[in-house]
Amino acid sequence: MQRRSFVHATTAAALTAGLGLGLLGAGTARAAGHARVVRFGQSASLSGGQAGYGKDVRDGIAAAFAAASAAEASHGLRFELVTLDDGGLRGHCVQNVKSLADSDVVGLIGLTSGAGAEACMPVVEEARIAMLGTASGNMGIRSAQAKGAFHVRAGYDAEFHRMAANVKEVGLQRVGVVTLGDTSQANLQAMTQALQALEINPKTTVAIDRNATRFDAVANQLLAARLDGVMFTANAEPVAQIIEHMRLARYTGLFYASSFAGQDLVDTLMARKRSCVMSMVVPRPNALGVSVVAQCRRDLALLKKESRLGMTTLEGYIAGRTAVEATLAAQRAGGVSRSRLREAIAGLRSDLGGYKVDFGGSTQGSRFVDLISVDRYGRLVG
């Protein structure tokens, strides 16, 4: 696998070529030619079973960087994103982060493997580099020891509490849990604690391989347990397969999926006319009355490529916007370096337009969680 085969740079010069010089102005273009380049590095799943998820996160960050490069070109600053493909594999993610840490990137952004990000923490701490906006609620990178990991989205603990409350509210008694076999034990512990706090004890817990191609045996195991609800914390493909298998077997219970399943699951369920309750850690992507959602749509259009505005793209965009604001804060403090960027993130408090990121001395910048239902017609309701 050519993990270095994809480098995505969103520069003011590239944006000028895409939009036409007249829109930015000749003076802006000349300034962009002498701009200070600030590079962020990303390890993402651009291939394999999580490719859609990884590409969506990448595109969201790229949109934020492209817009910021255009806005800051006259001030001599532009943003670039260097993305390496890890195929959703933890070991490849670690190799990529080591490579990026040895390069000239000022920070890491938008890793798409929570397990990979957790395994990267020793590299992050040794390099004294900020790891911002990992697109995962992984609890292993939210411990007190993970000081270099900064989060712009809620962790799985907040998601699980919201889902468990709904399970209790609708009166489900026999609940099964499906989790990834390579995930942090802290994730399973967070889900178990959320359920036990409401006196709900899982009847069965199944660990799966995120990169497997068939999940019939898992679905049959869940059917045999005679559950009235299944809670997933997994990527979209296994969740979609298990839901389809169980529905074809006339299962009538409810399904709950964490945000990790992302827009891919929404799109798959829409195509198959299936339903599921999902937790979201960003505003609804169809809520164009929310400023950050509307701005994301506009900035995606600047990329001049096929990009979709879904919950996963929006999560990447929010991470990108946060990186831009932290970079500008570091620039005002005397210049952009790894140490100054970490300091700027740690003190950042910002309203991105209907979505607040407030670190306030903590590495957890948001605990926003929304619970929605994807109905069989693909609508986000509830």
Side-chain angles (χ1 to χ4, degrees):
M1 177 172 59
Q2 297 296 316
R3 293 182 295 109
R4 287 180 169 274
S5 62
F6 185 88
V7 177
H8 188 91
T10 56
T11 68
L15 192 61
T16 302
L19 296 179
L21 192 60
L23 292 182
L24 293 180
T28 299
R30 285 195 296 270
H34 301 89
R36 161 76 193 279
V37 178
V38 178
R39 292 187 178 88
F40 283 81
Q42 179 191 29
S43 181
S45 52
L46 303 182
S47 61
Q50 297 169 248
Y53 190 89
K55 291 173 182 176
D56 283 351
V57 174
R58 176 204 62 191
D59 289 352
I61 298 169
F65 282 7
S69 293
E72 297 299 323
S74 61
H75 298 95
L77 192 67
R78 72 177 187 260
F79 296 83
E80 291 185 356
L81 176 64
V82 180
T83 300
L84 304 182
D85 181 18
D86 57 37
L89 301 174
R90 176 167 49 188
H92 288 165
C93 180
V94 174
Q95 292 172 27
N96 286 348
V97 167
K98 286 180 178 178
S99 177
L100 291 166
D102 288 339
S103 73
D104 64 347
V105 301
V106 72
L108 302 170
I109 188 171
L111 274 65
T112 58
S113 167
E118 185 176 359
C120 288
M121 286 313 303
V123 180
V124 170
E125 290 304 330
E126 182 178 354
R128 301 294 298 165
I129 191 170
M131 185 172 74
L132 174 67
T134 298
S136 169
N138 187 293
M139 297 303 297
I141 54 176
R142 286 172 166 78
S143 67
Q145 290 72 37
K147 297 178 181 177
F150 297 89
H151 312 287
V152 301
R153 49 148 292 161
Y156 286 145
D157 55 345
E159 288 191 61
F160 296 154
H161 276 96
R162 188 68 183 272
M163 288 193 289
N166 188 261
V167 167
K168 183 74 171 181
E169 182 180 343
V170 299
L172 302 187
Q173 300 295 321
R174 299 183 60 83
V175 179
V177 170
V178 178
T179 185
L180 297 175
D182 65 350
T183 195
S184 171
Q185 280 298 113
N187 292 340
L188 181 58
Q189 183 179 10
M191 178 177 276
T192 302
Q193 288 177 344
L195 291 168
Q196 289 180 344
L198 296 172
E199 299 180 340
I200 302 171
N201 294 308
K203 300 303 178 185
T204 184
T205 299
V206 184
I208 62 173
D209 178 358
R210 73 175 75 212
N211 293 307
T213 57
R214 296 295 300 271
F215 299 91
D216 294 358
V218 175
N220 288 331
Q221 182 178 345
L222 295 169
L223 287 167
R226 299 186 179 279
L227 306 171
D228 51 20
V230 181
M231 298 177 68
F232 296 94
T233 174
N235 47 310
E237 182 59 26
V239 178
Q241 278 199 39
I242 292 169
I243 289 176
E244 182 68 10
H245 185 104
M246 294 180 71
R247 287 301 191 212
L248 289 175
R250 301 187 183 281
Y251 176 76
T252 59
L254 295 180
F255 296 109
Y256 292 79
S258 70
S259 62
F260 183 37
Q263 191 65 38
D264 280 350
L265 181 61
V266 174
D267 295 342
T268 302
L269 294 178
M270 183 189 306
R272 296 177 181 175
K273 292 183 167 49
R274 301 301 186 192
S275 61
C276 180
V277 179
M278 291 188 67
S279 60
M280 294 178 60
V281 292
V282 296
R284 303 183 189 196
N286 59 353
L288 295 180
V290 178
S291 177
V292 70
V293 178
Q295 190 63 52
C296 181
R297 179 182 289 275
R298 290 191 291 269
D299 290 346
L300 279 171
L302 297 181
L303 292 180
K304 295 293 184 180
K305 59 177 290 186
E306 195 69 30
S307 299
R308 57 181 180 174
L309 174 52
M311 63 182 72
T312 314
T313 308
L314 185 57
E315 185 174 339
Y317 180 77
I318 287 170
R321 286 276 303 275
T322 304
V324 168
E325 295 213 9
T327 300
L328 297 179
Q331 180 85 336
R332 291 192 295 269
V336 184
S337 65
R338 289 184 177 182
S339 59
R340 280 207 180 99
L341 182 68
R342 280 181 64 144
E343 291 173 3
I345 296 172
L348 189 65
R349 292 177 172 172
S350 179
D351 187 340
L352 302 179
Y355 187 92
K356 293 182 179 180
V357 176
D358 185 348
F359 289 101
S362 167
T363 57
Q364 185 64 52
S366 173
R367 294 188 65 82
F368 172 87
V369 179
D370 190 13
L371 199 64
I372 55 96
S373 293
V374 182
D375 72 9
R376 59 181 301 178
Y377 303 106
R379 297 174 301 188
L380 304 183
V381 298

